[in-house]
Structures are given as C-alpha cells and as structure tokens.
Amino acid sequence: MSDAPLVLGIESTCDETGVALVRGLDLLADVTASSMDDHARFGGIVPEVASRAHLEAFGPTLEAALEQAQVRLEDVDAVAVAAGPGLSGSLAVGVASAKALALGLGVPLHGVNHVIGHVAVDALVHGPFPETFLGLVVSGGHSSLLRVNDIATDVTELGQTLDDAAGEAFDKVGRLLGLPYPGGPHVDRAAADGDPAAFAFPRGLSRPKDLQRHPYDFSFSGLKTAVARVVEGFEDRGEQVPVADVAASFSEAVADVLVTKTLRACEINEIGTVVVGGGFSANSRLRSLAADRFADAGIELRIPPIRYCTDNGAMIAALGSAVVRAGLEASPMDFTIDSQMPLTQVVMGATESAA
Amino acid sequence: MRWLAIDTSGGTTVGVVEAPDGGALVELASHVNPDPRGHVEALTPMIGRALADAELTPGEVDAVVVGTGPAPFTGLRVGIASASAFARGVGCVVRGVSSLDAIAWSTHGSVVVATDARRREVYWAAYAGGLGPADHAWRVQEPAVGPPSDVLDWVTANRGQVIGPATAIYPELASEGSAEATVTPMGLVGVACASMRVGTPTPLTPLYLRRPDVHVGAGRKRAT
C-alpha cells in the first residue's frame, strides 16, 4: 500500500478535534484533542465552548499528526473532513480549515459522513470489508443499523433510535444515579459490581407487534423512565439507591436490545458480518454480550479497539481513503455543512467519476 | 509582497493586495459577499476566484492577513481557521488584525467604528484623528461590545464621527456616508503592514468579547 494516496482526515463534529493520516488501509498517525474536561462541569457539551476549543486545537493537532506520521503537509494527496452530522459550530471550524488547506495544497477535498466513518475505521484494524455487512453505530448522538454494500458508495439505513441514542440514555441514567458526566464510562464502571438481573427493565420495541412495525429501530426513552421510577422509589422510601444493581440492570437492557435486534437483522437479511462502531461500543457489557451471542449465531463480529470507537481523525481518514479508492470526484468547495446529514449519504455533492 | 486578505466579521470579504517595498498598496482583486451568514460555504470559492482574478496560484501568495473581529463567533472562526489553514497549505506567514482597525484605516479624522454585534448591541472602538495603525496613540478606545447608547455616550464625551456597518442599523449613530465604511482588503493589509513595521503583534486570537452562553441545569426533574 506504500504507493496508495496519502489521505489527511479531519474530525470536528462534537468536542474532539481529530487529525489522522492514512495511506490505503495503513494508519500512519491519529491525534485527538478533546475539550471534554471543559464540558464535564456543565453536565453536557456546551457548543460554543467546543467550537472555541476546535479553533485553538486544530493547528497543534495537525502538526502533531504530521510529526507522528513522519510526513510533510505537501505529501498529502487528498483531504477528507467530517461534513456532518454534528454540531454546526464545531463542524464549521473543521470544514473551513479543510477547504482552505485543500485549496492551499492544490489537492481534492472530500466532505464525508461522520457516522459512516465510525464503521469505516474498522478496515484500518481488521482489514478489507466483506461484500455486504451490517454496521451498528452506537454513540451519544446515534443508534443506527446500516446495511453496507460498499462503504464509499452504497450505504442504506435499516433503522435508528426513535428517541434517545444509547449513549444519551447512559448520560441521563448517570445523572439519575448521581454519577459524573459523561455517563457512559461511569455507569459502565458502576455496573461492574452489580447484578444485571436485579431489576427487569423493559426492552424497547421488542414486543411482537413492535418488531413487525420497527424491526430495525430502537427506543431507549421508556427504559430511561423505568430506571427513574425505580431510583425515585428508593429515594421516596428514604432507602439508599443500589447504584451498582441499577447500573448493571440498565446496561444489560441496552446491550440486550442492541444485540438482539442486530442479530435478527442479520437473519432477515442473510448477512454474516457485523461491524460495531461509535463511542458507546466502548461499553463493556455490549462488547461481552455481543461477542458471546454473535459467536453462538456463527456471525462474524468486528469491533475496533476502544481508542477507535470514540470520535477521531482516523475514522474520517479511513472513509476518505475508501472514497478516494472508489474514484469519487472531489466535493465542491462551496459544499455546506449538514448537522443532520442523512446516514445514506456517504459524501457531500460528489458523483461517481465516469472513468 | 503579495497578500491574500480575508475578513468574515460581517459578510465575507476576500482580496489580493500587492504591497511593494515602501510603495503604495495596489488592490489586484476583491470579492465581497454581503450575506452575514454562510461564510463556510462562500469563503474558499471566493479565495479561489480572487487568486484567479489576480492571476496568481496559491503558492504565489507571500502572506495572509485575516480580520480577527470582534464579530459573531461562528463566522469569525471560519475566517481565522481558513486563513490559518491556507497559509499552512502554501507555507506562508499569516497575520491577524482587528476588523475594526481595518475599517478605521481608510479614515483620517477622529472616528468611532461600529459593527453589528446582533442582540441589539454593537462592537465598537475609537480612533484618534491624524494618526494611523503605526502610531501607539491611534486607538483611543479598545474594542468593546455594548448597546448603541454606549457609543453615543462616548461620542458626547469625546467627539468624533461614528462610521461602519452598524450605522445602517441604528439611525441614531448614522451621519452622511457613515455606513459606507466597511472592511476592505486594502484596510486589512494596510494595518498588517503598519503593525509589522513598528513591531506590534498580529495574533490570530479571535476577539469574541462575549463569554459563551452556558446554561447550568437546575437539577433533575422527577419522572414520576
């Protein structure tokens, strides 16, 4: 792959500024700066704080990535940037930087889909994708099932969450349990010492009627309310909330519904490989439950290591590299950022080249 | 020295300016898009057009100057991020100057420059007559944000004409021709050159002047 194009990937959809360099499927550098510490005290991402941090972090992050990869900026053959979905103010910094950088370097620019990047990054870890596979993207903003025939040109959305994203539900339950923000890792840690069967929390959209109408969709809002009722019940009775048991039972419900529905989607569509990505795929119960049940079902499960699950430049460089390999035309320089970019849209305003 | 000048403090302004050693500035190209939003879409194509008009390749740009506001946040960042990234891409220097200074550059009398800060406020700064960006005493009031009445109070106490885009929005600030003063490529490059000559710093630090809007939650609501 040493003569494959060198692709620079830029990520700035939320609170992480990521820059990575990929040649073919080889990851040469991946550097991330996060403003999470600035948000934690507010209990959520403050968009303006994140945007300001992106502007400050971009230059140093780019320099560090070039240094790590031992390449010069003028060696870059194409620039890829996350064009959406995400926070508008954050996206504006990364997209503006990417456009001007590509113009200055005289190389093509590809605006790509952040969520599809969460799936694409796995090719850097586990190698080329099979012809058709399912992508399960679970994060603070998304819980989506994708059918991927070609990561650069043919992605369809089978289903998504109808209300909260999985990671969002964890943030809210973390708050209920008095745990620090972000809830994902803290609830996960608390759950390690708890009994996953202590409370029978509901599995959203899993009754036969719901399965018929929403075979590939998720819902975590009802689950969150059920947890709130249990927690408030303990508080009203003046009893101590069994944080570990609640966390474990809640985690079990989320992991169970994600794994069960994804397996079912594999059966219906006769698909033998699932790639899981997104920040919530760092969740330990999701990982262990998925490993067990996919192995039992004889379905290949690919989850990249945790450092590639959270937002980073590698996912954007990986998708950019796939887009370049597929021979897609560059995005036009006036392309707009799209905070609601549809998950079936891999790139911004490009069409397949005739060649 | 061939300069690429960028400003996104109001609409989008892009130009190419030649600054001969010791000679007067010459504008080679200029493009203005008055839309106060949509910088992220408009800016890079405008840079491409300005360079084409000036018959320059990106690599022939010797320096970039960008207006650092004060200005509404998102557009301001687009200008600074783009200027910085373009300069990296071509390997040239990049300078930041206040957008208000760039507007004041073309004037000679005592002026207060005021631009739209939205939320019924203006960004403003005041400048002494007969001086310029190379003079220490030129800016007599540092950039500030506040209601138009702050500007009127200052003018009452210190005299001077209010100029700049905000005078088109607030009639109480306007006088004849006052709204025609805007950020120009020549103004940006003029301030940058003068600053370099006397060693005034030209950081890329955005002049936000306002803190981020942060709402701390009021504690959790019950579900039952």
Side-chain angles (χ1 to χ4, degrees):
Chain A
M1 282 285 187
S2 60
D3 52 358
L6 179 64
V7 177
L8 177 80
I10 298 170
E11 154 66 26
S12 77
T13 57
C14 190
D15 62 310
E16 256 112 23
T17 313
V19 178
L21 287 143
V22 164
R23 201 186 279 287
L25 292 181
D26 293 334
L27 180 63
L28 307 183
D30 181 30
V31 180
T32 307
S34 175
S35 59
M36 179 49 83
D37 291 349
D38 300 333
H39 306 288
R41 63 199 172 104
F42 300 117
I45 303 293
V46 182
E48 177 57 23
V49 171
S51 302
R52 291 184 181 193
H54 280 300
L55 183 63
E56 285 176 29
F58 179 73
T61 306
L62 173 60
E63 293 295 331
L66 293 168
E67 169 79 26
Q68 199 179 86
Q70 292 285 297
V71 297
R72 295 169 311 165
L73 201 47
E74 51 266 44
D75 298 331
V76 169
D77 296 305
V79 176
V81 62
L87 301 171
S88 301
S90 291
L91 283 163
V93 177
V95 170
S97 301
K99 285 180 174 182
L101 192 61
L103 180 69
L105 291 171
V107 300
L109 171 69
H110 299 277
V112 303
N113 190 305
H114 166 86
V115 173
I116 297 170
H118 273 308
V119 178
V121 72
D122 188 68
L124 304 181
V125 180
H126 294 118
F129 292 122
E131 199 151 305
T132 295
F133 64 96
L134 281 190
L136 172 66
V137 180
V138 279
S139 70
H142 299 276
S143 301
S144 299
L145 257 180
L146 307 174
R147 181 192 170 103
V148 183
N149 295 324
D150 183 316
I151 194 76
T153 59
D154 189 355
V155 179
T156 48
E157 185 175 26
L158 294 178
Q160 59 170 321
T161 180
L162 302 182
D163 37 62
D164 292 347
E168 193 180 357
F170 264 69
D171 286 342
K172 289 176 177 173
V173 165
R175 211 172 299 150
L176 276 169
L177 294 174
L179 298 171
Y181 178 85
H186 289 101
V187 173
D188 196 13
R189 222 165 291 146
D193 305 321
D195 175 7
F199 301 96
F201 288 131
R203 270 61 169 165
L205 298 181
S206 295
R207 289 176 304 180
K209 194 180 71 185
D210 292 329
L211 282 176
Q212 226 163 24
R213 282 184 58 200
H214 298 283
Y216 309 122
D217 293 323
F218 304 105
S219 166
F220 298 109
S221 177
L223 168 61
K224 176 196 64 191
T225 305
V227 173
R229 284 175 191 279
V230 165
V231 170
E232 285 161 10
F234 279 102
E235 288 171 346
D236 291 348
R237 293 190 297 276
E239 298 169 19
Q240 196 178 0
V241 179
V243 171
D245 284 349
V246 172
S249 301
F250 164 71
S251 300
E252 187 69 17
V254 174
D256 182 28
V257 91
L258 287 171
V259 170
T260 303
K261 286 214 153 182
T262 305
L263 273 174
R264 201 163 167 271
C266 286
E267 283 162 22
I268 296 171
N269 293 278
E270 296 178 0
I271 289 173
T273 300
V274 172
V275 176
V276 182
F280 185 67
S281 57
N283 181 264
S284 61
R285 185 55 189 146
L286 176 63
R287 283 180 172 250
S288 62
L289 191 67
D292 291 348
R293 293 188 33 200
F294 279 75
D296 289 349
I299 289 170
E300 183 194 19
L301 172 68
R302 296 171 47 154
I303 311 185
I306 288 170
R307 54 182 285 238
Y308 300 119
C309 292
T310 48
D311 294 351
N312 56 66
M315 55 192 268
I316 305 306
L319 184 52
S321 185
V323 164
V324 169
R325 270 201 306 283
L328 298 190
E329 279 176 23
S331 301
M333 278 296 184
D334 64 351
F335 83 76
T336 189
I337 54 177
D338 186 352
S339 60
Q340 308 281 329
M341 191 169 181
L343 301 193
T344 46
Q345 185 184 353
V346 182
V347 294
M348 274 295 175
T351 49
E352 265 182 274
S353 63
Chain B
M1 219 166 154
R2 292 193 196 95
W3 287 82
L4 171 67
I6 295 170
D7 186 87
T8 52
S9 64
T12 306
T13 300
V14 176
V16 178
V17 175
E18 171 86 53
D21 279 338
L25 302 181
V26 183
E27 188 175 87
L28 304 180
S30 174
H31 285 276
V32 177
N33 178 351
D35 186 353
R37 291 186 170 78
H39 303 97
V40 78
E41 293 83 8
L43 179 56
T44 307
M46 287 172 69
I47 297 173
R49 281 198 294 278
L51 292 175
D53 288 354
E55 297 182 358
L56 293 181
T57 62
E60 289 171 317
V61 171
D62 298 311
V64 180
V65 58
V66 62
T68 55
F73 310 151
T74 300
L76 178 59
R77 277 189 289 266
V78 168
I80 294 173
S82 301
S84 173
F86 181 87
R88 266 175 207 283
V90 303
C92 73
V93 295
V94 55
R95 311 270 178 194
V97 302
S98 160
S99 306
L100 299 177
D101 287 2
I103 295 173
W105 178 82
S106 62
T107 65
H108 301 285
S110 297
V111 292
V112 177
V113 177
T115 59
D116 183 20
R118 301 177 188 167
R119 305 182 184 187
R120 301 184 177 195
E121 291 190 325
V122 298
Y123 297 113
W124 65 286
Y127 302 82
L131 300 176
D135 300 302
H136 252 346
W138 183 46
R139 199 155 71 190
V140 291
Q141 162 68 47
E142 290 298 303
V145 62
S149 59
D150 285 1
V151 175
L152 289 176
D153 290 348
W154 197 94
V155 170
T156 306
N158 302 277
R159 291 185 308 153
Q161 186 196 10
V162 185
I163 62 168
T167 60
I169 302 167
Y170 301 102
E172 66 269 35
L173 300 181
S175 55
E176 196 180 333
S178 62
E180 284 151 27
T182 54
V183 179
T184 61
M186 298 272 276
L188 291 161
V189 174
V191 175
C193 288
S195 302
M196 285 164 64
R197 210 161 51 238
V198 296
T200 311
T202 50
L204 292 183
T205 316
L207 299 169
Y208 292 124
L209 304 194
R210 284 178 180 142
R211 300 169 64 82
D213 287 331
V214 175
H215 305 287
V216 179
R220 73 174 226 250
K221 290 188 213 112
R222 285 185 60 99
T224 51

